[in-house]
Amino acid sequence: MGSGYVDSRDIMEKIEGARRAWASLKGVLYEGSGFVRLLRLYRMEIDASWALMARLGVGGHCARCSAERVEGGCCSQSIEEWYEEPLLVVNLALGAGFPEERAVEGGCLFLGRQGCILPARHNFCVNYLCPGLKESLGQDAVERLQRQYGRELSLGWECELMVIRALEGLDG
């Protein structure tokens, strides 16, 4: 695999690679590496992010945008190509399943009818707040979201690094 994990494979190939990697790594990651504990902490922060988003009405704003098909919507088709194998493996570790086809025409493969179906989302997918959403929320709410997202992404990156190291161990 090597460092960086950026490749030109399409998302379905990456998903298959992640499934194979998860099958090989599961035992390694669950044996005393601290991965299970880290994964639990990460899941708690993911849940806290979604709860805060719900309290602030982020989902409603995003649903309206999606329904109106605003150009440049953040969950558009091809965003899924940004997802790399380590993050997909983390999603498998969190119990996620991957769709075979899009639920929303023109949307990201991982966009379901009620929003993102993945617990472990790409950095962009977590961090991006469009200008309309920022205006709607106000500065205080945006700052609360950004603090929460920072906690989520930090733990997510630690999980990805553990997967990357385990993948490198398989390769070498």
Side-chain angles (χ1 to χ4, degrees):
M1 294 240 127
S3 300
Y5 294 103
V6 176
D7 62 44
S8 61
R9 295 180 301 162
D10 82 351
I11 190 59
M12 296 314 249
E13 291 175 40
K14 292 177 190 177
I15 288 171
E16 284 311 308
R19 286 182 175 135
R20 284 190 303 275
W22 178 235
S24 297
L25 294 176
K26 192 183 224 179
V28 172
L29 288 171
Y30 282 169
E31 285 180 12
S33 67
F35 184 73
V36 173
R37 181 183 162 281
L38 185 59
L39 204 59
R40 268 192 225 114
L41 292 172
Y42 182 33
R43 185 62 199 215
M44 287 174 26
E45 294 302 337
I46 290 168
D47 292 345
S49 292
W50 282 101
L52 180 57
M53 288 168 53
R55 282 194 305 277
L56 296 174
V58 172
H61 179 91
C62 295
R64 283 188 300 280
C65 174
S66 177
E68 295 168 4
R69 299 230 185 249
V70 173
E71 189 173 323
C74 58
C75 297
S76 61
Q77 188 166 334
S78 80
I79 296 293
E80 70 272 2
E81 298 298 336
W82 299 352
Y83 281 74
E84 298 297 337
E85 202 168 286
L87 183 55
L88 295 170
V89 169
V90 171
N91 272 289
L92 290 169
L94 288 165
F98 301 118
E100 297 295 320
E101 57 188 43
R102 293 176 201 288
V104 178
E105 186 179 336
C108 173
L109 179 66
F110 304 126
L111 178 62
R113 297 271 175 220
Q114 305 299 317
C116 187
I117 63 167
L118 297 180
R121 297 172 292 151
H122 189 278
N123 182 5
F124 171 83
C125 302
V126 176
N127 264 328
Y128 182 72
L129 301 173
C130 72
L133 179 59
K134 285 181 179 179
E135 185 179 322
S136 170
L137 292 174
Q139 187 64 30
D140 288 343
V142 167
E143 288 174 6
R144 285 175 49 208
L145 276 171
Q146 289 173 330
R147 280 191 301 275
Q148 177 54 46
Y149 291 163
R151 290 188 290 271
E152 175 184 339
L153 289 170
S154 176
L155 287 167
W157 178 238
E158 287 183 50
C159 288
E160 282 188 75
L161 284 176
M162 289 185 90
V163 168
I164 289 167
R165 288 183 190 119
L167 286 168
E168 288 172 346
L170 286 180
D171 287 346

